[in-house]
Amino acid sequence: DEGVDVYLPIADEWFIHRNGTYTLVGNGSHLIPAPLDELPYFVKAGSILFLQKEGQTTALRRESELELFVLPNTKKEATGFMFLDDGETMDTAYHTIRASLTQRSLKLETFSFGTSANKISLPKVSKIQIATVENIENEVVC
């Protein structure tokens, strides 16, 4: 198995997730090993991933805490968004959470929309992990 040819847009840097680690792979064309028992995925550098344990329903999932995984770009910045509604009704009330990392701080902002948005509980953030990129020229495990 040689792998799969993958093209990642040149305007950005990219991480690949494999076997529980993120590796900076850069941009352009890559030959990525693709064994049948592994599902690699790519994340644009500068992204913040909102992670939460799975649940049988949206309501049950909301009971678990959030983890943020931050993959900064070469400027040590990142941004991510999360959308939260009640998961049960057609109501147009919802929250968005915006996370942003700058060289100085990590900021979380919540925006509420609709009259019944206050009935939607926001999950707690239990863990924040920020990947460090020391040398962007080589593959770096974060």
Side-chain angles (χ1 to χ4, degrees), residues 11-13 15 24 45-47 70-79 100-105 130-134 136:
D12 299 299
E13 295 292 329
F15 288 90
L24 185 66
S47 298
V70 183
L71 294 155
N73 59 22
T74 55
K75 296 176 185 175
K76 298 182 180 175
E77 299 173 338
T79 304
S100 56
L101 174 74
T102 63
Q103 292 181 4
R104 296 183 187 177
S105 66
I130 301 175
T132 57
V133 180
E134 298 162 4
I136 205 150

Side-chain angles (χ1 to χ4, degrees), residues 1-7 16 18 28-34 139:
D1 297 341
E2 289 184 26
V4 176
D5 284 317
V6 175
Y7 177 80
I16 184 172
R18 305 178 74 114
S29 295
H30 300 275
L31 183 62
I32 303 296
E139 292 189 1

Side-chain angles (χ1 to χ4, degrees), residues 84-99:
L84 293 166
D85 65 4
D86 69 4
E88 297 172 9
T89 67
M90 297 297 287
D91 191 1
T92 57
Y94 60 93
H95 297 290
T96 58
I97 300 173
R98 180 181 190 267

Side-chain angles (χ1 to χ4, degrees), residues 26-44:
N27 54 40
S29 295
H30 300 275
L31 183 62
I32 303 296
L36 294 176
D37 62 343
E38 184 182 328
L39 180 63
Y41 62 88
F42 299 90
V43 179
K44 186 173 91 167

